[in-house]
């Protein structure tokens, strides 16, 4: 049997269902998909990190007697050529997004595909309610997994040591320049090994629940980028944390990621449409959106957060909620605009988490925040960045401004700092405006 092992966002040799289920002669491959890359900026930060990770995977595979063939093309072209070499099938991970499902369906016409649940802990088909329908609310979903979440260890996939690499030209490797991208410097922590990050996070666990919302603190795991590309599996993280007396709260956070993937799997339309059947009349002002993207709203915490995203490709989860709430509610702009921008900028972008998080903030998703809950950015910045340390780091133009003034609406900072902009909108006015928009949408739903 000759089998192609297609690595996607599962770039590891540990706890990998593909390497566990592979048989006989195998050709491990990775494809830099032209259909995806053509839509990205040539300075996209995630591609530099991805490229480095693929090269490291190749080294890891060589260390265990295998190798990795690396391609740059449309997947259908690659598999059309590989079929000529008498391969029997493709073994790969299951993807939940629309593009991937259509891509795989096209390839299945060329070669048979065996897809495995490899990126998340759960098989979404095995965790349903008593009536055999999927959960739509996180808390009952999470409670149904108590046996799993309270366990000390989840069994990981082992490597099938009997597989052998097939002879192939493994030395032909496209460069980052060949892909059309310019090398970008990653955040410093991404230069650390995963083991180092795990060990550092263990030290933070006792205060994780208390500190995680303070975005000026170094309190998070810093593993989201590694999870995105599958450099480590969620099972491995779970097992490591349980071994070191993990915080139950962190385990709960890990399963929010599972829940969002579960929702996308069972409700694929949510990638493009609201989970809830509500039609908000958005303003969708292009200039307002542009200023939000550029961090020029005149509201310090929003501008600092967007500057962080634009310069580093990172954003703390609390800041994602604040900026998303501001865009969808205070500016009344469709969540899909913000989701698309985050997809373009985030190093740790995962479609299921990003879509669901944006719908959560917009109050249109599964188990979303109530529509009348609207983050006040000034209150949020005062509560979680009292001394404006984060704000001043990413908005240095305000370095000499007292933090009390920064956290106060109508402080007219723009009159003191001429280079700073006047706030786009009044928080009170915009709050009343969005509440009215939701009430009108609800009345329209009732009539229908």
């Amino acid at each position: 049997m000759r089998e192609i092992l297609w690595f996607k966002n599962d770039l590891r040799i540990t706890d990998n269902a593909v390497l566990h289920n592979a048989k006989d002669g195998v050709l491990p491959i990775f494809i830099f998909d032209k259909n995806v890359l053509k839509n990205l900026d040539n300075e996209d930060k995630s591609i530099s990190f991805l490229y480095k990770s693929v090269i490291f995977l190749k080294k890891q595979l060589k260390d265990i007697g295998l190798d990795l063939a690396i391609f740059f093309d449309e997947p259908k072209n690659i598999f059309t050529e590989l079929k000529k070499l008498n391969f029997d099938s493709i073994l790969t991970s299951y993807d939940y997004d629309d593009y991937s499902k259509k891509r795989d369906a096209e390839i299945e016409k060329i070669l048979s595909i065996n897809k495995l649940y490899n990126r998340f802990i759960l098989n979404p088909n095995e965790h349903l309610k008593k009536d055999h329908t999927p959960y739509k609310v996180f808390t009952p979903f999470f409670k149904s997994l108590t046996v799993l979440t309270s366990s000390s260890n989840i069994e990981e996939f082992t490597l099938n040591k009997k597989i052998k690499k097939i002879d192939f030209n493994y030395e032909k490797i496209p460069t980052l320049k060949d892909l059309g991208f310019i090398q970008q410097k990653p955040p410093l922590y991404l230069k650390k090994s995963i083991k180092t990050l795990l060990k550092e996070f263990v030290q933070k666990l006792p205060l994780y629940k208390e500190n995680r919302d303070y975005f000026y603190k170094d309190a998070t795991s810093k593993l989201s980028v590694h999870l995105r590309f599958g450099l480590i599996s969620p099972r491995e993280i779970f097992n490591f944390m349980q071994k070191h007396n993990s915080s139950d709260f962190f385990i709960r956070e890990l399963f929010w990621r599972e829940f969002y993937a579960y929702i996308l799997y069972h409700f694929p339309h949510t990638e493009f449409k609201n989970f809830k059947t509500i039609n908000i009349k958005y303003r969708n002002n292009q200039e307002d959106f542009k200023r939000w993207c550029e961090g020029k709203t005149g509201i310090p915490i929003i501008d600092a957060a967007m500057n962080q995203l634009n310069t580093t490709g990172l954003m703390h989860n609390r800041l994602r909620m604040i900026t998303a709430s501001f865009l969808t509610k205070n500016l009344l702009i469709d969540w899909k605009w913000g989701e698309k921008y985050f997809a373009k900028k985030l190093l740790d972008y995962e479609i299921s988490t990003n879509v669901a998080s944006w719908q959560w903030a917009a109050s249109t998703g599964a188990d979303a925040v109530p529509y009348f809950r609207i983050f006040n950015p000034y209150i949020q910045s005062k509560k979680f960045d009292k001394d404006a340390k984060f704000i001043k780091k990413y908005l240095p133009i305000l370095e000499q401004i007292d933090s009390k003034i920064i956290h106060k609406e109508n402080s007219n900072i723009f009159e003191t700092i001429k280079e700073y902009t006047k706030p786009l909108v009044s928080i009170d006015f915009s709050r009343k405006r969005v509440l009215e928009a939701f009430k009108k949408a609800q009345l329209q739903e009732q009539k229908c």
Side-chain angles (χ1 to χ4, degrees), residues 21-153:
N21 288 280
K23 298 175 182 178
D24 304 326
V26 299
L27 173 67
I29 72 167
F30 181 86
I31 303 172
F32 284 102
D33 188 343
K34 284 187 175 181
N35 294 323
V36 174
L37 298 189
K38 69 183 180 182
N39 297 316
L40 304 178
D41 296 336
N42 64 357
E43 294 183 350
D44 189 289
K45 293 178 177 62
S46 65
I47 300 303
S48 289
F49 184 77
L50 170 62
Y51 185 84
K52 180 182 176 182
S53 301
V54 170
I55 298 301
F56 184 63
L57 173 64
K58 182 178 178 72
K59 178 186 179 300
Q60 289 181 300
L61 288 169
K62 291 175 79 170
D63 288 343
I64 59 172
L66 299 175
D67 207 330
L68 185 70
I70 304 173
F71 301 95
F72 173 45
D73 203 340
E74 294 181 20
K76 67 177 181 179
N77 295 337
I78 299 299
F79 290 108
T80 298
E81 290 302 310
L82 291 178
K83 182 181 181 182
K84 298 174 183 177
L85 301 179
N86 300 317
F87 283 97
D88 299 293
S89 61
I90 304 164
L91 190 62
T92 193
S93 299
Y94 205 114
D95 291 312
Y96 301 168
D97 64 287
D98 184 67
Y99 167 74
S100 296
K101 288 190 288 187
K102 288 178 180 177
R103 175 204 60 204
D104 290 356
E106 187 176 39
I107 291 166
E108 208 152 16
K109 296 174 184 177
I110 303 169
L111 273 170
S112 65
I113 302 180
N114 181 15
K115 289 184 281 189
L116 306 169
Y117 295 100
N118 197 29
R119 295 195 59 219
F120 301 92
I121 295 172
L122 304 177
N123 177 337
N125 290 313
E126 294 179 354
H127 300 278
L128 303 172
K129 295 188 292 185
K130 290 181 180 179
D131 62 0
H132 304 293
T133 61
Y135 289 93
K136 299 178 183 179
V137 179
F138 176 75
T139 298
F141 165 80
F142 186 67
K143 285 183 177 179
S144 75
L145 302 170
T146 300
V147 173
L148 178 68
T149 58
S150 61
S151 66
S152 60
N153 185 80

Side-chain angles (χ1 to χ4, degrees), residues 1 21 25 102 121 171 187 229 279 291 304 339 359 411:
M1 183 175 179
N21 288 280
K102 288 178 180 177
I121 295 172
E171 301 310 311
F229 293 113
N279 186 24
R291 286 177 61 179
E339 195 280 333
Q359 289 198 35
S411 59

